Amino acid sequence: MNQETQLHILVETKAIERLLFTYAFHLDMNQTAELAALFTEDCEVIYGPDGFGAKGRAAYAKTLEGVGSFFKATSHHVSNIVIDFISPTEAKVRSVLYAWHRYNRDMPDSHVWGQYHDVIVLNDGKWQF
């Protein structure tokens, strides 16, 4: 692999990492429109083994409605990011998640440990889920 290709991979790797961090930021700030815009129109989002999620950006955005009234605060941390490029415009990404949630209800804070397994595509010059 030549240096130009290696440099290109490094630049795209940083862009994909930024996408993951931007996702966590918008989630924590309850910026649902900005969050949904990180996904392709034909995305499929699945959270957890119970299959909660949505097909399509509009349906995903709908799942985000009211989430801000459920949480008083959240803090999502993404690490251990591994990116496998399938092609110049597609990558499989896995990362580790730690999230803290404070609820508006009378519930104790919760801590979530998990993994994200994503397919990321380059769409009109930007990486999206």
Side-chain angles (χ1 to χ4, degrees), residues 46-122:
I46 302 168
Y47 290 115
D50 61 357
F52 171 77
K55 288 187 179 186
R57 184 191 298 159
Y60 176 59
K62 187 100 175 125
T63 69
L64 300 172
E65 291 177 3
V67 74
S69 65
F70 191 70
F71 296 105
K72 193 175 289 184
T74 65
S75 184
H76 290 76
H77 305 265
V78 182
S79 65
N80 299 11
I81 301 167
V82 176
I83 301 167
D84 293 313
F85 288 93
I86 306 305
S87 74
T89 59
E90 183 177 353
K92 288 190 175 185
V93 180
R94 67 175 154 69
S95 56
V96 174
L97 163 74
Y98 164 72
W100 164 84
H101 300 131
R102 175 159 290 160
Y103 299 93
N104 280 324
R105 300 176 183 175
D106 187 19
M107 297 172 62
D109 293 355
S110 70
H111 301 269
V112 177
W113 290 268
Q115 298 179 12
Y116 288 130
H117 294 265
D118 297 301
V119 176
I120 311 290
V121 295
L122 190 61

Side-chain angles (χ1 to χ4, degrees), residues 8-80:
H8 178 74
I9 289 171
L10 284 172
V11 167
E12 298 308 318
T13 295
K14 294 308 280 182
I16 291 171
E17 289 174 347
R18 177 68 183 256
L19 173 67
L20 294 168
F21 300 145
T22 300
Y23 169 85
F25 173 79
H26 289 312
L27 189 58
D28 289 338
M29 296 296 105
N30 191 32
Q31 297 172 335
T32 57
E34 293 87 345
L35 187 62
L38 300 176
F39 291 78
T40 63
E41 290 290 342
D42 64 345
C43 68
E44 183 174 358
V45 180
I46 302 168
Y47 290 115
D50 61 357
F52 171 77
K55 288 187 179 186
R57 184 191 298 159
Y60 176 59
K62 187 100 175 125
T63 69
L64 300 172
E65 291 177 3
V67 74
S69 65
F70 191 70
F71 296 105
K72 193 175 289 184
T74 65
S75 184
H76 290 76
H77 305 265
V78 182
S79 65
N80 299 11

